[in-house]
Amino acid sequence: MKIICIGRNYADHIAELHNEVPAAPVIFLKPETALLQRGQPFFIPEFSNDIHHELELVLRVSKNGRHIDEQFAHTYFDAVGLGIDFTARDLQSELKKKGLPWELAKAFDGSAPISPTFRLVAEIADLANINFHLEVNGETRQTGNSSLMLHPFAKIISFVSKYISLKMGDLIFTGTPAGVGPVKVGDQLVGFLEGERLLELSVR
């Protein structure tokens, strides 16, 4: 399986990081070794002093496909969960200044925790109106809704599949809303989807 991530997909997050609004989805990948499951703790890597949380809706790909038309994209994922795209912001800033890829800041081991359970698409009333939020030590840090994405689920799947074939079991991180910020040892992160606690994570 592979982890496909969408960057700069919420206008308020683009603004807080002073980035330009992209005309097309911004794509990057994380390897399978980035995955954290079943409540495993996240260990802050020694190469960064500024790790940021980025809560995202995650799609679970349910069948293989390439060159997928947007009108059929909804049939290629069967569930929605939560994930955190941990980012070494200090390292990312250095790489961006040099015009280099972001992978070292985004794809390191443990940088992609996901919720142990996903909500089936059939159980979600409106895919274009999914509320989610992140609490850090009991304080709400990020709040998002799928209606605010610049590129909705169907556009993401169609765009990605023109370049990268989708395989059953792949995960697609769909972008983060505003409110990203640093984590420190001892923090407790809890992610909610439509008020349901789906993701719990401790930082060590």
Side-chain angles (χ1 to χ4, degrees), residues 71-120:
Q71 64 177 319
F72 302 119
H74 67 281
T75 68
Y76 283 84
F77 66 98
D78 64 355
V80 180
L82 291 175
I84 296 177
D85 168 22
F86 277 122
T87 303
R89 192 70 72 202
D90 46 359
L91 183 54
Q92 185 189 37
S93 295
E94 292 177 15
L95 293 168
K96 288 168 66 176
K97 287 177 183 177
K98 298 176 182 177
L100 297 173
W102 303 347
E103 270 69 15
L104 290 180
K106 288 280 194 178
F108 55 89
D109 290 353
S111 62
I114 61 169
S115 54
T117 59
F118 277 53
R119 291 276 301 276
L120 294 176

Side-chain angles (χ1 to χ4, degrees), residues 2-204:
K2 55 188 174 289
I3 303 168
I4 301 164
C5 302
I6 309 301
R8 302 180 185 177
N9 202 24
Y10 287 81
D12 52 0
H13 174 59
I14 293 172
E16 74 177 345
L17 294 187
H18 309 291
N19 291 320
E20 294 183 3
V21 177
V26 175
I27 309 296
F28 61 94
L29 301 177
K30 290 178 182 261
E32 188 174 356
T33 50
L35 204 61
L36 274 185
Q37 302 182 76
R38 297 179 296 278
Q40 294 173 300
F42 170 73
F43 291 89
I44 294 179
E46 61 183 20
F47 55 76
S48 175
N49 295 312
D50 194 22
I51 298 291
H52 282 208
H53 59 74
E54 298 189 7
L55 183 69
E56 312 197 7
L57 294 172
V58 180
L59 308 182
R60 186 175 69 192
V61 176
S62 56
K63 63 180 180 181
N64 300 348
R66 61 193 298 265
H67 296 287
I68 300 166
D69 193 281
E70 282 190 40
Q71 64 177 319
F72 302 119
H74 67 281
T75 68
Y76 283 84
F77 66 98
D78 64 355
V80 180
L82 291 175
I84 296 177
D85 168 22
F86 277 122
T87 303
R89 192 70 72 202
D90 46 359
L91 183 54
Q92 185 189 37
S93 295
E94 292 177 15
L95 293 168
K96 288 168 66 176
K97 287 177 183 177
K98 298 176 182 177
L100 297 173
W102 303 347
E103 270 69 15
L104 290 180
K106 288 280 194 178
F108 55 89
D109 290 353
S111 62
I114 61 169
S115 54
T117 59
F118 277 53
R119 291 276 301 276
L120 294 176
V121 167
E123 299 173 353
I124 299 175
D126 185 358
L127 291 171
N129 186 29
I130 302 174
N131 293 295
F132 62 106
H133 74 276
L134 177 72
E135 293 182 359
V136 179
N137 303 326
E139 174 190 355
T140 299
R141 291 277 187 88
Q142 289 186 269
T143 300
N145 184 285
S146 57
S147 66
L148 301 175
M149 294 192 300
L150 299 179
H151 306 292
F153 297 154
K155 174 68 175 295
I156 291 170
I157 288 175
S158 178
F159 183 84
V160 170
S161 71
K162 292 177 182 177
Y163 301 87
I164 304 170
S165 294
L166 297 180
K167 298 286 188 179
M168 183 184 300
D170 287 348
L171 299 173
I172 302 177
F173 280 59
T174 60
T176 193
V180 303
V183 296
K184 63 183 185 301
V185 173
D187 281 348
Q188 297 293 320
L189 280 60
V190 182
F192 296 82
L193 193 153
E194 291 293 354
E196 179 183 357
R197 183 189 296 241
L198 280 194
L199 175 62
E200 297 186 50
L201 180 73
S202 61
V203 178
R204 295 183 184 173

